[in-house]
Amino acid sequence: MVGGFRSWGNFFRNIGSILVFAIFGTAVSAFIVGGSLFLLGKKQWVYELTFTESFAFGSFLSAVDPMATLAVFHALEVDPVLNMLVIGESILNDAVAIVLFQGNQMFLFKYCHRKQNLSSGNLNGLFYSQSLCRP
């Protein structure tokens, strides 16, 4: 039983809302944390990272586990639908964060560490490697 997870029916009845919270919420959180870290680094307030490194760190931090929230929900006996939304989001946001992190790592490997594959015909890759990777 995951944090009071009692009913698969509630989970699948609310799958649309859970997916919105998990996918969009995690992606927005990763971009906000990563973008903030990148901009603060550009101002020399924190250690300067490339955008892709900042986004990797943001995607790592975006998968927050809400166990404390679920414990409070259990103590207060909140509505089961609200409880299911939080449980479902917590189950799926870890997977979304892993996908974001792995996608970022693939980008780093493909465009930042293997620049010999970039040719004049691959302008998109050339743009990303020049604008987002360290020189």
Side-chain angles (χ1 to χ4, degrees):
M1 187 160 90
V2 177
F5 190 79
R6 293 181 187 94
S7 168
W8 284 104
N10 265 346
F11 180 81
F12 288 112
R13 269 193 297 276
N14 297 299
I15 192 72
S17 300
I18 291 169
L19 288 173
V20 167
F21 291 143
I23 295 170
F24 294 116
T26 305
V28 167
S29 174
F31 278 110
I32 288 173
V33 171
S36 299
L37 183 62
F38 177 72
L39 294 175
L40 290 172
K42 287 294 181 190
K43 292 184 179 265
Q44 300 295 318
W45 291 352
V46 296
Y47 182 77
E48 187 173 357
L49 300 171
T50 65
F51 181 75
T52 50
E53 292 167 339
S54 300
F55 181 67
F57 189 71
S59 61
F60 173 72
L61 287 181
S62 65
V64 177
D65 205 15
M67 287 301 127
T69 304
L70 293 174
V72 170
F73 281 5
H74 183 69
L76 296 176
E77 298 178 3
V78 298
D79 183 32
V81 173
L82 177 60
N83 194 33
M84 182 54 58
L85 290 174
V86 173
I87 291 171
E89 190 271 339
S90 75
I91 290 170
L92 296 179
N93 79 346
D94 292 339
V96 172
I98 290 169
V99 168
L100 289 173
F101 186 82
Q102 290 296 324
N104 184 52
Q105 295 306 305
M106 287 173 39
F107 172 82
L108 277 172
F109 180 73
K110 184 174 183 181
Y111 290 117
C112 297
H113 299 299
R114 297 175 63 197
K115 290 186 180 183
Q116 69 271 15
N117 289 342
L118 298 175
S119 64
S120 59
N122 190 355
L123 293 177
N124 192 26
L126 183 62
F127 168 75
Y128 286 124
S129 70
Q130 296 301 315
S131 61
L132 300 177
C133 303
R134 287 189 182 182

